Amino acid sequence: MSSNTRTTLTFFNLPVSVREKIYRYALVRKLVFIRPFVSMAYFQDSSRKFHTDGPILSLLSTSKQIYKEAMPIYLTENIFSIVHSDMLTAARLEYPRVFENLKLIRRLELIFDSRDYVYLRQFILDNLPNLRAEIEFTAPDSKHKRAALERLDEMCSDFDVDGIHDASQSPRHASVDEDQETHDRHIENMKDYLWGRTLTFVRQTFRLTHLYVDVRACTCVNGCCRLADEVMSWGWFYVWVHGLPDEIQVRGASKQEMDVIASTFDGQLFHEGLEKEEIYDLERAEDAHGFKQYNALLKSVRQGIIERNL
Ligand SMILES: [Zn+2]
């Protein structure tokens, strides 16, 4: 070693095991929330400890070498809690590195809580009109613009139904046909826009060792029906491409629901010899390219709105 380098002591002179300790201290928590959506189960349940001190992610951008050493620790050792996958879907399309990173996540928590649907619905109803107007008046005319507007109108009418009763109060039974229709519409929305979407994304993306599922509040919006025994089969991509999680823990299911959940997972094991239609919904996949264009347009307009509101 020459004399002019001998006196230089840097972070990287520390033994790897010490550097890893530092990374863990900064980056590993009991639970990491995939924002912007954190389940109401954490916000509204005072008996659960809600940690606001998240991992210190700025550490990852201090140097290339730190990123290379610390990122796998962050991704493989934390449990990530995910409610809604749209931000991740958009990021995955745009940044290949995000996709590579997501594939390193090994532990995931999925909470199915009807209050998250109620929140999402309100958020969409509040923001959709602006988004629609923005596209209508600023985007140049194209078939993607027309498709996006059509899709937003569809979304608006899907969500623009009321009949939500506070599920934490006593359950209310839908009595007349109209109520029943509204009730079923909300369940369809839960499938299409929230839990079915998230499960589709999760099955396509992750190779998990541990999956934690919480179905304690997995009910319709009125609390009159439990959905725990069907929710794990929602989504248009049916199998776990990278294999089933090694261990699945389910919280809040009855014995009967557990049996259904277990057999649902068995049926989602990816193996050679599956027919295409056993893997995904063919009709839905045909639309995938159109969806991509539509998502790109939505994303740019939404970004514009967010920046102006900051
Ligand atoms: Zn119900």
Side-chain angles (χ1 to χ4, degrees):
M1 199 184 275
S2 68
S3 59
N4 58 347
T5 58
R6 192 175 49 199
T7 52
T8 318
L9 185 71
T10 73
F11 178 71
F12 296 107
N13 293 119
L14 294 167
V16 177
S17 62
V18 176
R19 296 208 295 272
E20 287 180 351
K21 262 191 193 160
I22 294 169
Y23 300 146
R24 284 197 180 93
Y25 180 76
L27 295 170
V28 179
R29 296 290 178 268
K30 222 172 166 184
L31 195 63
V32 175
F33 297 102
I34 297 183
R35 290 171 197 277
F37 213 133
V38 176
S39 178
M40 290 292 174
Y42 287 98
F43 281 124
Q44 298 189 349
D45 187 348
S46 55
S47 66
R48 271 181 113 136
K49 277 194 180 153
F50 178 56
H51 296 279
T52 47
D53 62 326
I56 305 164
L57 294 175
S58 53
L59 176 73
L60 294 167
S61 51
T62 39
S63 89
K64 266 190 185 160
Q65 189 173 345
I66 289 182
Y67 179 90
K68 213 171 134 200
E69 292 179 350
M71 195 58 156
I73 290 180
Y74 170 67
L75 292 168
T76 58
E77 296 188 17
N78 277 307
I79 300 174
F80 291 86
S81 181
I82 177 175
V83 176
H84 196 230
S85 60
D86 279 14
M87 291 292 276
L88 291 176
T89 309
R92 183 178 68 175
L93 283 175
E94 196 155 340
Y95 308 105
R97 198 168 71 175
V98 170
F99 191 36
E100 290 311 306
N101 284 342
L102 288 174
K103 285 199 286 194
L104 288 179
I105 289 179
R106 292 288 171 267
R107 294 156 186 263
L108 200 69
E109 178 189 63
L110 294 173
I111 299 182
F112 300 94
D113 188 318
S114 61
R115 290 170 297 180
D116 292 333
Y117 167 72
V118 175
Y119 174 84
L120 176 77
R121 170 181 175 268
Q122 196 54 52
F123 179 84
I124 286 175
L125 285 177
D126 290 346
N127 288 280
L128 221 52
N130 281 344
L131 188 61
R132 196 197 182 287
E134 194 79 11
I135 290 177
E136 181 159 26
F137 298 116
T138 62
D141 193 37
S142 71
K143 72 173 195 234
H144 303 307
K145 174 180 173 175
R146 289 192 294 275
L149 290 177
E150 221 171 85
R151 185 93 182 94
L152 287 178
D153 288 340
E154 210 177 286
M155 237 172 123
C156 246
S157 77
D158 285 348
F159 278 101
D160 195 16
V161 282
D162 205 351
I164 293 186
H165 172 72
D166 186 351
S168 64
Q169 306 298 313
S170 58
R172 192 187 66 138
H173 291 272
S175 50
V176 292
D177 287 352
E178 200 186 339
D179 271 2
Q180 189 63 45
E181 217 173 274
T182 304
H183 169 273
D184 296 350
R185 178 73 255 163
H186 284 305
I187 294 180
E188 284 306 305
N189 287 348
M190 286 171 154
K191 276 187 199 174
D192 286 349
Y193 298 101
L194 183 60
W195 297 336
R197 265 172 121 92
T198 300
L199 282 165
T200 291
F201 180 84
V202 166
R203 292 186 203 115
Q204 285 178 314
T205 309
F206 297 107
R207 167 70 191 99
L208 302 174
T209 57
H210 293 76
L211 176 67
Y212 306 94
V213 177
D214 185 338
V215 290
R216 285 174 303 164
C218 186
T219 65
C220 69
V221 286
N222 293 331
C224 50
C225 12
R226 280 195 53 82
L227 303 170
D229 58 356
E230 57 171 289
V231 71
M232 295 312 302
S233 66
W234 289 5
W236 63 271
F237 200 94
Y238 314 129
V239 294
W240 291 72
V241 196
H242 309 285
L244 286 175
D246 302 330
E247 191 180 323
I248 299 166
Q249 291 183 22
V250 181
R251 190 171 188 202
S254 66
K255 168 79 179 72
Q256 197 188 357
E257 286 168 350
M258 282 298 286
D259 291 344
V260 180
I261 291 171
S263 74
T264 305
F265 273 112
D266 280 347
Q268 294 175 353
L269 182 65
F270 182 77
H271 58 85
E272 277 180 54
L274 282 177
E275 300 289 334
K276 258 204 260 176
E277 58 269 24
E278 294 171 292
I279 301 174
Y280 55 84
D281 179 345
L282 299 178
E283 222 172 275
R284 186 70 192 257
E286 245 171 48
D287 288 341
H289 188 67
F291 267 111
K292 217 168 156 178
Q293 300 295 333
Y294 151 80
N295 279 333
L297 178 66
L298 278 189
K299 194 168 170 268
S300 67
V301 174
R302 185 162 51 190
Q303 195 54 37
I305 293 176
I306 291 169
E307 275 161 18
R308 277 204 309 280
N309 287 337
L310 281 180

